[in-house]
Amino acid sequence: MKNFFLLSLFLCLCSPLYAQNKIFLSYNPGISLYNSENSGKTIGDKHLGWFPGFSIAYESENIWGLNLLLEYNWTQKRIYDVQTFAMTTSTGSGTLGYFNADLILACHNLDISVSYKVKDWLYFAAGPTVSLVDRSIVMDNLPNYIQEKVGSSFDDRLISLCLGVNGSVNIEIPFQTSSQYVFFFSSIKLRYLQSVWFDDRGRNLDNYSQSFIFTQLNIGLGYNF
């Protein structure tokens, strides 16, 4: 994933010197419209809704005759108390208390888009997405008798590679009129992901897959140079 991103960035930097280049930094309030984890046993009756993150993007004109936009987007959400476990006596005859497990879902998305200028301030973009998804079931502050076996916390981690598509409507409003300028940037993006590979670590995942649909609002600043 990292090497692929660096290679794509290198190709952009090797574009003709006369091309216009842009960089973007933005905060991404987002919502999970569909998440296959919501129907799984690991998440219980909880749901992944609000899904915030941050983005950094680079756009260059005239790469193979196209305006190519690369965006790295990181999002993460922790859902508390998705599962509850009972602490029992050694004989199992009574309950001493309860402890909970949380779900953490993090996505490292690389969007590769072709950007099309509709007006001076309005752009459409669409293209493929490669994503590394990290889903963890985390238990902190475990009971003492469990800490003796696994430590003070437990983390069941599953890494997956997902492929998908993205599309966005982008708005750019410059703060000044010159060849190099800072501009306000906002966009609405839709991203679909489907798992293609898992780091199963010996687990049987034959009947398991992941799919996601996210909508994302980017709000930030850009620089044209």
Side-chain angles (χ1 to χ4, degrees), residues 133-177:
V133 177
D134 183 345
R135 191 216 69 183
S136 297
I137 303 296
V138 179
M139 288 178 282
D140 298 321
N141 301 317
L142 292 170
N144 291 333
Y145 72 93
I146 297 180
Q147 289 188 28
E148 295 175 357
K149 298 180 179 180
V150 301
S152 60
S153 63
F154 174 77
D155 184 350
D156 179 21
R157 190 178 185 188
L158 177 65
I159 303 294
S160 63
L161 177 67
C162 296
L163 300 179
V165 293
N166 71 87
S168 64
V169 179
N170 310 317
I171 295 175
E172 300 176 12
I173 302 177
F175 292 128
Q176 61 195 72
T177 56

Side-chain angles (χ1 to χ4, degrees), residues 8-9 15 28 46-47 56 73 78 82-83 87-88 113 116 121 127 133 140 148 155 160 165 185 195 201:
S8 300
L9 184 58
S15 60
N28 312 138
K46 303 296 180 70
H47 293 280
I56 179 171
N73 166 251
R78 181 166 185 157
V82 295
Q83 296 180 10
M87 296 181 290
T88 62
S113 307
Y116 175 72
W121 52 273
V133 177
D140 298 321
E148 295 175 357
D155 184 350
S160 63
V165 293
F185 167 74
S195 60
R201 300 184 184 182

Side-chain angles (χ1 to χ4, degrees), residues 93-148:
S93 59
T95 301
L96 301 176
Y98 300 89
F99 61 96
N100 299 313
D102 303 336
L103 182 141
I104 301 176
L105 184 68
C107 297
H108 301 270
N109 306 306
L110 176 62
D111 295 329
I112 307 169
S113 307
V114 175
S115 179
Y116 175 72
K117 184 177 180 180
V118 181
K119 296 183 179 181
D120 289 341
W121 52 273
L122 180 63
Y123 299 79
F124 292 153
T129 296
V130 180
S131 181
L132 198 64
V133 177
D134 183 345
R135 191 216 69 183
S136 297
I137 303 296
V138 179
M139 288 178 282
D140 298 321
N141 301 317
L142 292 170
N144 291 333
Y145 72 93
I146 297 180
Q147 289 188 28
E148 295 175 357

Side-chain angles (χ1 to χ4, degrees), residues 61 169 219:
E61 297 179 352
V169 179
I219 301 174

Side-chain angles (χ1 to χ4, degrees), residues 177-217:
T177 56
S178 63
S179 59
Q180 299 182 1
Y181 56 86
V182 177
F183 58 89
F184 169 78
F185 167 74
S186 183
S187 73
I188 297 177
K189 173 169 284 191
L190 192 66
R191 183 184 293 112
Y192 167 74
L193 300 173
Q194 176 65 50
S195 60
V196 295
W197 174 83
F198 291 99
D199 180 17
D200 53 25
R201 300 184 184 182
R203 290 170 286 193
N204 184 358
L205 300 176
D206 291 343
N207 297 319
Y208 178 75
S209 65
Q210 292 175 325
S211 56
F212 310 95
I213 300 176
F214 300 113
T215 183
Q216 172 184 310
L217 173 65

